[in-house]
Amino acid sequence: MAATERYDITIIGGGPAGMFAGFYSGLRTAKTQLIESLSELGGQVQALYPEKEILDVAGFPTIKGSQLIAQQNNQFKDFPIDIFKNQTVTDIKREADGFEIVTPQRITHTKEILLAIGNGAFTPRKLAVENIDSFEGKQVFYSVSDLEHFRNHEVLIAGGGDSAIDQALMLEPLAKHVTLVHRRDQFRGLEYMVEKLRNSSVTIKTPFLVKDIEQTPTKQLNISLKRVKTEDQFEQLLVDDVIVSYGFISDNKAVAGWHVQFDEDHRMLKVDSKMQTSEPGIFAIGDGVLYPGKQQLIATAYGEAPTAINAMMQQIYPDKRGPVHSTSLKIKKD
Ligand SMILES: Cc1cc2nc3c(=O)[nH]c(=O)nc-3n(C[C@H](O)[C@H](O)[C@H](O)COP(=O)(O)OP(=O)(O)OC[C@H]3O[C@@H](n4cnc5c(N)ncnc54)[C@H](O)[C@@H]3O)c2cc1C
């Protein structure tokens, strides 16, 4: 295992929170590494809803998820931050003058740590039908990363939350036809979006569950839908693609060994007003933290990043003056 770079700040997690913190850390000229377990930066935005139009990021009346992440990538490309993708931090250990950061590939050392891990590494909740693996990535998807794939296709979306409704409305103008299948008559999505859905051309089938998928000789998918709370009421539907939007399972088991304190239900990291966790030198921002009034939004995560980085810099370099605003910081370019 290769050793051993030494950093001022190590950011764990490359979602919108970690990326903005990386940029800001660069502005403060801290020697920084950012470690992300997925193959791409962008967290939930890139992995779960790259094609969604986001309406609540300041400065952008509307922006696609993937475009927002592309802009964030642009924002820190001029700063000498070391970015490591496809690496999951499995352990952190306190040392005399900071921490050891362990991934399966490397051990590095850092003075302070910023956890921007969202709700942990996440995986999609799968459709419980036989042979699902053989369709995944070809005709069964867990997110929409290539809108064009669905053009003029007959599409079934399974799920009843915000994400399922967003996907149905996003594909409606492009697909041949969209059917949304949900196991309850009521939807969990935002009222405004549910109303939009009900006024759209999307066919809503409730309360039904996807029970079986078979490929036809013409390579379409024959979907068997079972009416909930019945044993024998089935309907068949012929589609080209299925998008499963049953949510994601997040896994933050590794963090349990890092001694940082969680809130009562053990899911969120407790932080103080400077975003420091219960462990001195370990800070946390974004969806993974909890404090009174916390909102799990991109805008909130962006605000938390400078608070954390400036507090970390204050601890690492007590004699350095903190910034007033970005133009008071020196931007280094080659
Ligand atoms: C369908 C959907 C729609 C949404 N729409 C909006 C919207 O319109 N507006 C809005 O403001 N918010 C929206 N959100 C919420 C928004 O996406 C989150 O608030 C935001 O992504 C939080 O960013 P984050 O960086 O804290 O966490 P995440 O985006 O979850 O990123 C965390 C990253 O950390 C990585 N990671 C975790 N553990 C490790 C580890 N041990 N080692 C290495 N890497 C690790 C993960 O792989 C992940 O990439 C939406 C969420 C969903 C699911």
Side-chain angles (χ1 to χ4, degrees), residues 112-131:
E112 305 234 327
I113 296 171
L114 180 59
L115 301 176
I117 55 176
N119 299 313
F122 49 84
T123 48
R125 226 182 269 276
K126 298 215 171 185
L127 200 59
V129 304
E130 232 173 276
N131 297 330

Side-chain angles (χ1 to χ4, degrees), residues 30-133:
K31 185 169 167 55
T32 305
Q33 66 170 337
L34 187 158
I35 305 175
E36 166 57 49
S37 59
L38 296 176
S39 58
E40 282 184 284
L41 299 182
Q44 295 172 44
V45 183
Q46 189 63 35
L48 309 189
Y49 55 97
E51 292 287 347
K52 179 183 144 160
E53 291 289 341
I54 303 171
L55 305 179
D56 52 358
V57 174
F60 296 103
T62 174
I63 186 164
K64 262 190 192 174
S66 58
Q67 284 168 350
L68 180 67
I69 296 307
Q71 294 286 25
Q72 284 204 246
N73 269 309
N74 271 339
Q75 196 174 28
F76 65 26
K77 72 176 181 341
D78 289 328
F79 295 95
I81 303 160
D82 291 344
I83 296 173
F84 301 96
K85 301 178 202 169
N86 282 321
Q87 291 195 18
T88 300
V89 175
T90 50
D91 203 4
I92 58 185
K93 295 173 187 159
R94 191 174 278 282
E95 308 178 309
D97 55 352
F99 301 89
E100 184 180 271
I101 304 282
V102 181
T103 75
Q105 294 88 349
R106 301 152 57 241
I107 288 180
T108 46
H109 300 272
T110 190
K111 291 177 184 158
E112 305 234 327
I113 296 171
L114 180 59
L115 301 176
I117 55 176
N119 299 313
F122 49 84
T123 48
R125 226 182 269 276
K126 298 215 171 185
L127 200 59
V129 304
E130 232 173 276
N131 297 330
I132 189 70
D133 300 1

Side-chain angles (χ1 to χ4, degrees), residues 123-128 142 244-250:
T123 48
R125 226 182 269 276
K126 298 215 171 185
L127 200 59
Y142 294 97
V244 183
S245 194
Y246 285 171
F248 287 77
I249 305 161
S250 54

Side-chain angles (χ1 to χ4, degrees), residues 252 260-271 288-292:
N252 58 8
V260 282
Q261 203 183 342
F262 286 82
D263 73 309
E264 289 70 31
D265 71 9
H266 304 287
R267 285 190 58 242
M268 315 296 257
L269 297 163
K270 279 187 163 179
V271 288
V289 307
L290 190 73
Y291 51 81

